[in-house]
Amino acid sequence: MPGPTRGFLGRRRDRDARLPPGQYDAGSDWPVLTAEPTPRIAPETWSITVDGAVESPTTWDWDQAHALPGSEYRGDIHCVTTWSKFGTWFAGVGVDVLLEAARPTAEARFVMATSKTGYTTNLPLEHVTGGKAWIVWEYDGKPLPIEHGGPVRLLVPHLYFWKSAKWISKLTLLQRDQPGFWEQNGYHDLGDPWRQQRYQGD
């Protein structure tokens, strides 16, 4: 007995290799998700501080941060709510540049990112160094929209996007890990999209 025809089964659609398991391509859309009310932060009032387990705690205001060597990220981003967005383009300054100025101590192992709203998220230090993370204020050549974290957000694109804290104001280096907002509420401590690390125990 002959097998089913192609017309009956339908044409097989190959999955895009850029798409982690359990994710879908959001296309031109960029969903807006946040855990707190959207703040209104004027660039002239914004600053970023690196403190904690560092030899030289340092704060940069808007102009000082923009005077640092610039850097860009061009690539994909992935949200724990299952959307992925391909080919994004962000510009700002690499976290490596900030840490070079603040000089982490030998005991520093983790980073707590804090937003102007009080939102926090924790990251292992090795996941924000070596060209893996940025402080960004531009998207697609324009100022980062406020609903997406403008004027400035953290960008850690190889992890789920809740780790890329919006409205970033501080990076605190820690000797021991401490859970941030979503991590205290059941989300995974790391959040690797390729390993589907959405929740504690994944």
Side-chain angles (χ1 to χ4, degrees):
M1 182 176 178
T5 66
R6 174 176 290 187
F8 181 78
L9 289 177
R11 185 178 298 276
R12 181 177 179 271
R13 298 180 64 182
D14 291 327
R15 182 177 177 83
D16 193 310
R18 298 172 295 174
L19 206 58
Q23 298 289 110
Y24 72 91
D25 177 8
S28 61
D29 192 21
W30 186 1
V32 177
L33 301 167
T34 184
E36 63 272 286
T38 300
R40 298 287 168 177
I41 304 169
E44 59 270 20
T45 69
W46 174 86
S47 65
I48 180 72
T49 297
V50 179
D51 63 6
V54 296
E55 295 179 7
S56 181
T58 306
T59 298
W60 295 263
D61 64 20
W62 179 262
D63 291 336
Q64 290 166 336
H66 280 67
L68 295 171
S71 183
E72 295 183 351
Y73 170 75
R74 294 177 185 256
D76 310 329
I77 56 176
H78 312 285
C79 182
V80 70
T81 59
T82 73
W83 60 262
S84 292
K85 188 169 180 60
F86 299 143
T88 64
W89 172 25
F90 292 90
V93 61
V95 169
D96 290 306
V97 174
L98 306 184
L99 296 182
E100 182 179 0
R103 303 196 305 277
T105 65
E107 294 79 20
R109 294 289 184 274
F110 299 92
V111 175
M112 182 68 77
T114 302
S115 299
K116 198 80 168 176
T117 59
Y119 172 88
T120 57
T121 189
N122 56 306
L123 299 127
L125 184 57
E126 66 266 24
H127 282 270
V128 298
T129 55
K132 299 187 189 78
W134 293 259
I135 301 295
V136 297
W137 44 72
E138 287 186 11
Y139 175 72
D140 268 353
K142 299 177 181 178
L144 182 67
I146 187 171
E147 66 271 19
H148 291 300
V152 187
R153 77 178 296 156
L154 178 64
L155 178 68
V156 191
H158 69 285
L159 300 178
Y160 282 127
F161 223 47
W162 90 80
K163 293 290 186 176
S164 296
K166 295 180 178 181
W167 312 299
I168 189 72
S169 63
K170 185 166 63 173
L171 299 173
T172 302
L173 276 71
L174 306 170
Q175 297 182 28
R176 296 179 179 84
D177 198 13
Q178 298 178 15
F181 175 83
W182 282 118
E183 295 80 15
Q184 294 178 48
N185 286 280
Y187 277 33
H188 198 278
D189 279 342
L190 182 60
D192 183 338
W194 296 97
R195 298 166 68 184
Q196 297 194 76
Q197 293 177 334
R198 291 183 166 86
Y199 306 108
Q200 298 291 341
D202 286 348

